Amino acid sequence: MNRSDALAGASEPSDEAQQWLSAIPAAVYVTDPGWWLGEVRFVAEAVADLGGHTAADYLESPQRWLSAIDETSRLQALERLQTALDTGEPRVTLSYTLGHVDGTSSRIADTLNIQRDTEGQAVALVGVLERVAAGADDGASRALLAHNPDLLLVLDADLVCRAAAGAVGPVLGISAEALVGRSLFELMAPEEAPRVQRALDEQAVTAGAALLELRLRHRDGGYRWCEIHFAADCDAVSSVSPGWVAVARDITERRRQALQWDAYDATDELTSALNERAFLGLLRQAVAMGDIHGRLSLIVFEVDGFADIVTRWGREGGDLVLACIGEMCRATLRERFSFGRLDARGFALLLSGKSLQETSAIAERLRARFGTTRVEFHGHWLAFSVSLGVAERRQGEAPESFLARAHSGLELAMTHGGNRVQQAL
């Protein structure tokens, strides 16, 4: 049993429990489900060795810890934690770079036990913080492998690159030196990260291997399809969670030839949704088959006040909100071609086998989830809501009419103030 297991009952530590926790030679802490954004209930004094502030400082102002995490890994850690909370995981290890008050920084492995009530709702997080030793950079090996046609990587538990060699330039358009210190999660298409994390978590338990196909962003802004073989390397980086040795091969051309339609023309890169033309084609095909296979339903939605978000936070802030929507929709529905982007701010979800009531319930869950989401942007937290229209296809109804009815539900929802679900007439 590891230390975080031993602390599993410490969501509300008594004075005696706090004395015991403080005696553990590791930085232990207890928070509510909001992590360092919420209520911090206990922090061991050993935390001062990692961040430089006293435990009392962090108890008084939890943001001290969060603001000391570099922006990129902070966002990744929050997204990873949210996924673990949403999917019912009992434990998750977050990895991030933490700045010390003396100006130095270190890599932190933050292992959290997620305490839940009898209904499965998270009520507390019990964390153990450990400093991760930086991996050595073997320059001689990199020189020998510089001309390898594959991309060769040594990664920590959160896929942060510790060493790179081979075809870094051809695959990603950057140098090996520029890749070191960056996480592959930064380079993945937004919807890929949850799937990759789940697959690697499964393999980490047995120190196994995984072969995955995913898209990595090239310096030119486009994506390259890669076939990546991940092999667990438990001794490479940390005793908390295994690192990985990975071999990536560019299979973009193979994917182009294998697909019946051009994914690059059909997919919106920002949200990974089908673009309007491709989604309408899918809708027409589904309607043609619907008379044979049964009911179809649509959810059409828009971000409330999206123009105001762009005015206040700029196009970059608006794009971050849209990318978040794409990732959350795909993670929720897990259907590759059911999600479409209709215009600059409008989206649609096509579901099969669902009644109007069932689809409305799904839409309501999406509305509630979006409404409680906060997107971190340059030290600020962006909140947003969506309005959703829902329609079930009528017998013999044309796809254009079906979509128009769903749009009418959306318009009615927005007319009534937004942040609501409206069934189409």
Side-chain angles (χ1 to χ4, degrees):
M1 179 170 64
N2 65 30
R3 280 173 291 195
S4 54
D5 285 329
L7 303 175
S11 61
E12 296 287 351
S14 64
D15 291 343
E16 181 180 2
Q18 291 188 31
Q19 292 178 3
W20 180 76
L21 292 171
S22 297
I24 296 176
V28 181
Y29 67 97
V30 181
T31 75
D32 69 8
W35 200 41
W36 296 97
L37 287 170
E39 176 192 356
V40 177
R41 300 168 181 171
F42 172 80
V43 183
E45 290 297 339
V47 75
D49 294 334
L50 300 176
H53 293 286
T54 67
D57 289 336
Y58 292 117
L59 281 169
E60 178 184 3
S61 179
Q63 283 286 342
R64 289 179 186 273
W65 184 268
L66 201 65
S67 62
I69 303 174
D70 76 280
E71 182 177 344
T72 298
S73 56
R74 178 169 66 243
L75 180 58
Q76 292 171 353
L78 289 167
E79 291 176 342
R80 177 69 186 94
L81 176 59
Q82 189 61 53
T83 298
L85 292 171
D86 291 345
T87 58
E89 296 178 47
R91 181 186 300 126
V92 62
T93 296
L94 310 177
S95 183
Y96 46 81
T97 301
L98 181 77
H100 194 280
V101 293
D102 65 7
T104 62
S105 63
S106 55
R107 195 70 182 169
I108 301 297
D110 189 344
T111 302
L112 293 164
N113 256 298
I114 302 173
Q115 304 303 300
R116 301 180 185 274
D117 59 21
T118 56
E119 297 180 353
Q121 296 298 312
V123 295
L125 305 176
V126 181
V128 179
L129 301 164
E130 296 185 88
R131 184 179 282 109
V132 178
D137 178 14
D138 188 345
S141 297
R142 291 177 61 191
L144 290 172
L145 298 172
H147 299 290
N148 192 293
D150 294 330
L151 173 57
L152 311 176
L153 303 168
V154 176
L155 308 165
D156 74 5
D158 281 328
L159 304 193
V160 173
C161 178
R162 295 307 182 196
V168 184
V171 176
L172 301 176
I174 59 176
S175 66
E177 291 75 13
L179 182 59
V180 172
R182 297 183 65 183
S183 171
L184 287 193
F185 286 122
E186 294 179 47
L187 303 175
M188 291 180 197
E191 80 280 7
E192 302 281 15
R195 174 177 66 88
V196 173
Q197 187 70 66
R198 286 193 297 272
L200 295 185
D201 285 347
E202 291 173 1
Q203 297 305 320
V205 175
T206 58
L211 181 63
L212 303 173
E213 290 188 4
L214 54 95
R215 289 181 294 159
L216 296 179
R217 188 173 64 252
H218 191 275
R219 185 180 181 181
D220 63 12
Y223 284 95
R224 302 294 188 271
W225 274 101
C226 292
E227 180 182 76
I228 307 182
H229 183 273
F230 293 92
D233 185 5
C234 298
D235 299 323
V237 180
S238 168
S239 61
V240 177
S241 186
W244 302 93
V245 175
V247 180
R249 175 165 295 178
D250 188 339
I251 59 168
T252 303
E253 193 57 37
R254 188 176 84 193
R255 292 280 305 198
R256 285 182 184 271
Q257 295 173 0
L259 292 176
Q260 295 180 355
W261 46 269
D262 190 344
Y264 292 84
D265 291 337
T267 305
D268 170 58
E269 288 192 353
L270 178 63
T271 62
S272 295
L274 292 176
N275 62 29
E276 182 179 20
R277 177 186 59 80
F279 183 80
L280 290 178
L282 176 67
L283 176 61
R284 294 186 184 100
Q285 181 181 8
V287 166
M289 298 296 292
D291 291 327
I292 301 172
H293 296 293
R295 61 192 356 162
L296 293 170
S297 55
L298 273 170
I299 301 173
V300 175
F301 66 95
E302 290 187 6
V303 178
D304 295 323
F306 184 70
D308 294 334
I309 294 175
V310 174
T311 299
R312 182 176 182 184
W313 303 105
R315 176 54 60 185
E316 184 181 356
D319 285 350
L320 187 61
V321 169
L322 295 179
C324 174
I325 284 176
E327 180 178 344
M328 292 173 68
C329 283
R330 285 184 171 274
T332 300
L333 295 180
R334 306 182 188 281
E335 293 187 20
R336 186 174 182 184
F337 301 129
S338 63
F339 177 44
R341 185 175 182 183
L342 301 182
D343 52 37
R345 60 182 183 180
F347 298 89
L349 295 164
L350 176 64
L351 295 86
S352 60
K354 303 292 184 183
S355 67
L356 183 60
Q357 289 71 30
E358 289 171 326
T359 304
S360 296
I362 292 171
E364 180 60 34
R365 288 201 299 271
L366 284 172
R367 185 204 63 78
R369 185 173 182 185
F370 288 140
T372 57
T373 296
R374 301 294 181 268
V375 183
E376 199 276 340
F377 180 65
H378 296 309
H380 300 279
W381 294 97
L382 279 63
F384 64 93
S385 63
V386 298
S387 296
L388 307 96
V390 179
E392 182 180 0
R393 181 177 176 255
R394 294 168 176 167
Q395 183 75 24
E397 185 176 27
E400 291 77 13
S401 175
F402 181 23
L403 182 59
R405 282 199 307 110
H407 265 296
S408 70
L410 168 62
E411 292 170 1
L412 192 56
M414 297 176 71
T415 299
H416 284 84
N419 192 23
R420 61 183 291 157
V421 176
Q422 180 66 51
Q423 295 182 4
L425 300 177

